Amino acid sequence: MEVSKELIGILVPLGFFAMIFGIVYLSKREKLAMIERGMDPRRYKPQSAPFQNLKWGLLLIGAGLGLFLASVLDRTVFKESMDENEAIYASLVAVFGGLGLFISYLIEKKEVLDKAKPATYVEEKDLV
């Protein structure tokens, strides 16, 4: 089934318009529903994610390290079978990306536990 270029030229702008219209319509409808329930839509703010940049950074660093290690292994250790090593790239990117996410989890957990600890009281006479 061949789709003509004219049909694509018509459907792409229509799809784009429908997407924008749907986003605006649903946003206004959400605000109206909040007003009906007695809420103030201007006070609504999305929840912040303080460690989001750390998570993405460590994920991308891990994926980059996995890709680099896969390239080094492909060119040195698995030199004889050059066309059969596609799986090593995907697996090492996944392993090191997961390792980066795990390190991010450990850092976040440590920060949360440090904030949850109560401050200890130290008397002045003990400091001298």
Side-chain angles (χ1 to χ4, degrees):
M1 183 172 170
E2 185 91 16
V3 179
S4 67
K5 293 180 182 179
E6 292 85 20
L7 189 59
I8 291 175
I10 293 170
L11 290 179
V12 168
L14 283 176
F16 182 72
F17 175 75
M19 179 184 66
I20 298 297
F21 178 77
I23 290 171
V24 171
Y25 175 74
L26 290 175
S27 174
K28 295 217 183 246
R29 213 166 150 201
E30 179 185 22
K31 287 180 182 178
L32 284 173
M34 290 175 76
I35 291 171
E36 287 176 0
R37 292 191 179 121
M39 299 168 67
D40 186 12
R42 289 177 287 175
R43 294 183 70 200
Y44 171 74
K45 292 182 182 176
Q47 299 243 345
S48 65
F51 295 105
Q52 193 69 26
N53 290 336
L54 173 71
K55 188 176 293 185
W56 276 102
L58 287 174
L59 174 67
L60 292 175
I61 287 171
L65 283 174
L67 198 60
F68 174 71
L69 183 64
S71 175
V72 168
L73 287 175
D74 192 24
R75 294 179 191 275
T76 58
V77 177
F78 303 111
K79 196 173 189 177
E80 299 84 32
S81 58
M82 288 296 281
D83 296 335
E84 302 171 5
N85 297 328
E86 294 89 14
I88 194 169
Y89 286 95
S91 62
L92 284 178
V93 166
V95 166
F96 279 91
L99 186 64
L101 288 175
F102 182 70
I103 291 170
S104 170
Y105 167 75
L106 292 178
I107 292 171
E108 290 177 27
K109 183 178 173 185
K110 181 182 175 206
E111 288 290 322
V112 169
L113 289 178
D114 285 347
K115 286 183 181 178
K117 285 184 183 176
T120 57
Y121 177 73
V122 178
E123 292 186 30
E124 289 182 19
K125 65 179 180 178
D126 291 342
L127 296 176
V128 179

